[in-house]
Amino acid sequence: MTADGPKNALPPLRLPRRTRRLLCWAFLLLVAAVVADLLTGPGTTLSPVLAVAPMLAGATTRSARVPLFAGAVATAAVVLLELSNSSLPDSVHLTALITVLAATLASAANVVLVSARERELTQVRTVAEAAQRALLRPPPERLGPLRVAVRYAAAAAEARIGGDLYEVVDTPHGIRILLGDVQGHGLPAVETAADVLGTFREAARTEPDLARVAERLDAALAGRAVNERFATAFLLDVERSGGRAGFVNCGHPHPLLRRAGRVTELAPPQHAPPLGLLGLIGGHYRAGGFDPLPGDLLLLYTDGVSEARNAADRFYPLARRLAGLPATSPGAVLDALLADVGDWVGVAGPTDDAALLALRWEH
C-alpha cells in the first residue's frame, strides 16, 4: 500500500461519450425489464431479456470491465426477480441466470479479443509506416532550380505501404528523379519496389547516361530468381543550371507539363516496355528531352490517380483538372488534386494506391 493507493490498483475507467450513452441505454433496459416483470405478476418472467444488457454494454467499449459490470447488475436483477416470483419453476429462473452469465462472459471475452486485435493492428501499422519512411524518403522541398512536393495516398487505411515508389537524388550528373509503380500489391510488390529504389540510388550517382540508369533498373528486375514482377517507371534528369531536362519513360503514364495554364503530355521519343521486360523485345531505352521554362510545373503520377473512377465508371480527367487548378506551388497542387480525386470517386473510395510528384522550375 502506498500513499496514492494500492500498488496494483486499476487505473480509473474513462469512457467515451458514445459508450456512456450506450451504457445508459443498457441500464434503462434493465430497469424496464425489471418493472415489466413485476407488473406482469406471477406466472411470467422477462428475466432472460436482461442478457441483452451486457451484450449492449460491450458493443462499443474496449474495456472488459464495462460488460462485466453490466452483467453483474443484470445478474443481481435476475436474482431479485427470482425472489419476487417464486411461483415459476426453479428451472426457469436457473435458465435465465445461466443466460445472463453466458452473455456477460461472451461479451467480455469479445471485448478482450477485439482489443488485442486492435493492438496488433496498431503495431503492424507502426512497422509499415516505419518501413515506408525508410523506403520512400521525403525529398527536399527545394533542390537546384526545382521546388519539389510528393504525396502518397493508400487505397485503404490498413495499407500504408505498397508498390508505388519515388525518389529524388542530387548527383554529380544532375538531379535524378524516379517515379514508378510495381505490378501487384502486398509484400512482394514492396520487396520489388525496394530493389528498384536501391538500384536507382546507386546507378543514378554512377551512370552519366539516364538511359543507362533505366537499363540497370531493368536488369535488376529481370535478374530476380524469385518473385518475378515488372514495374512501370519514369526517370527524369534535371540540370542544376535549369537547362535542358532529359527523361526516359519505361511503360509509365505520360507526365503532364503545365505551362502558362495549358497542360500537355510529355511523350517519349519512342514507347518502351516496363522495367524487367526489355529483354523480351531487345534493344535499349532511349532518352527524350524538353526545355523547361520558369514557372513550368511537371506532374508525375501513378495510375491510381489517372484510373480513378466515379460512380458512372468514368476515369478521372487529370489533365483537365490540373489545367483548371489555381494553385501554383507543388504542394498546394498535389493537395488540391488528391482532394478532387476523393470527391470524384465518392464514398466508394479509391481502389488503388496513388503516388504523385510535382516539380516547379523557379528559374
Side-chain angles (χ1 to χ4, degrees), residues 4 6 8-16 63 65-66:
D4 296 327
N8 297 322
L10 292 172
L13 184 61
R14 296 181 177 89
L15 301 177
S63 172
R65 286 183 283 171
V66 175

Side-chain angles (χ1 to χ4, degrees), residues 163 165 179-183 192-193 196 217-218 221 229-234 250-252 273-277 285:
L165 56 99
L179 186 129
D181 186 0
V182 175
Q183 168 211 11
T192 303
V196 172
L217 297 178
D218 174 83
L221 289 191
R229 291 175 181 267
F230 64 84
T232 65
F234 182 86
C250 309
H252 197 75
L275 300 174
L277 302 180
Y285 287 116

Side-chain angles (χ1 to χ4, degrees), residues 22 66 114 124 137-138 168 176 209 224 231 251 259 265 267 272 289 306 315 320 327 333 341 348-349 355:
L22 197 57
V66 175
V114 171
V124 170
R137 304 166 185 169
V168 179
R176 297 279 175 79
D209 185 2
R224 289 166 59 93
R259 174 177 293 173
E265 285 191 347
S306 57
F315 288 120
R320 178 161 53 87
V333 167
V341 171

Side-chain angles (χ1 to χ4, degrees), residues 17 22 85 96 104 107 122 192 196-197 206 311 347:
R17 179 181 300 178
L22 197 57
N85 195 353
T104 301
S107 181
T122 299
T192 303
V196 172
L197 287 169
T206 58
V347 295

Side-chain angles (χ1 to χ4, degrees), residues 31-44:
V31 173
V34 171
V35 172
D37 196 286
L38 294 175
L39 292 177
T40 54
T44 60

Side-chain angles (χ1 to χ4, degrees), residues 237-316:
D237 190 352
V238 177
E239 295 181 2
R240 278 193 152 275
S241 62
R244 186 169 180 79
F247 66 91
V248 176
N249 193 323
C250 309
H252 197 75
H254 298 169
L256 299 176
L257 178 64
R258 188 174 77 173
R259 174 177 293 173
R262 184 169 177 264
V263 173
T264 57
E265 285 191 347
L266 195 61
Q270 69 176 27
H271 292 285
L275 300 174
L277 302 180
L278 184 62
L280 297 180
I281 64 172
H284 303 276
Y285 287 116
R286 284 183 55 192
F290 70 103
D291 298 309
L293 300 176
D296 282 356
L297 185 137
L298 185 67
L299 177 68
L300 283 61
Y301 58 93
T302 59
D303 57 13
V305 178
S306 57
E307 296 183 3
R309 299 171 184 260
N310 62 5
D313 205 32
R314 294 169 53 196
F315 288 120
Y316 178 70

